[in-house]
Amino acid sequence: MVCSTVREGMNCPFMTANGCDYNGGVCHKIDEKCKGCNRSAEFSSGWYCTVYPDPSLKWKNGDCNFASHISVASNGTKAKLNPLKASKRGNR
Ligand code: SF4
């Protein structure tokens, strides 16, 4: 249903005929770490995430898995080391 609270006009699974069904009855503003993410958007009431109602929870146990601005950094560039091959190399 289309949101009529803080993210007015956006389709949201938490919106019901009786209002917002999310914990607290409203979305929470983005976290400091969300800055730069393509999924954050400015509404008349402030900056909110377009895919998650409480952004601070997405950062509670590490990086947000939806974040667009950290995906490259989290992939890393280190190649996996095969312990068997590494031990053979050590014997040479
Ligand atoms: S996707 Fe994650 S990082 Fe991006 S705005 Fe939403 S909660 Fe923040």
Side-chain angles (χ1 to χ4, degrees):
M1 213 172 149
V2 175
C3 179
S4 60
T5 59
V6 291
R7 294 192 304 156
E8 211 169 347
M10 281 203 77
N11 215 358
C12 181
F14 291 105
M15 201 64 200
T16 69
N18 297 325
C20 179
D21 210 20
Y22 185 67
N23 182 22
V26 73
C27 280
H28 299 262
K29 286 187 179 174
I30 58 165
D31 192 89
E32 192 64 25
K33 293 174 186 161
C34 295
K35 284 186 180 157
C37 178
N38 289 342
R39 293 189 169 94
S40 63
E42 189 175 23
F43 295 85
S44 57
S45 44
W47 282 83
Y48 292 90
C49 177
T50 54
V51 293
Y52 199 72
D54 192 352
S56 65
L57 293 181
K58 293 302 276 177
W59 292 97
K60 205 174 171 188
N61 301 314
D63 293 343
C64 171
N65 58 327
F66 294 140
S68 65
H69 58 319
I70 57 149
S71 57
V72 176
S74 65
N75 280 344
T77 52
K78 267 191 176 177
K80 276 189 182 172
L81 190 69
N82 183 327
L84 192 61
K85 285 183 180 176
S87 72
K88 282 179 183 171
R89 265 183 239 127
N91 291 336
R92 275 184 218 155

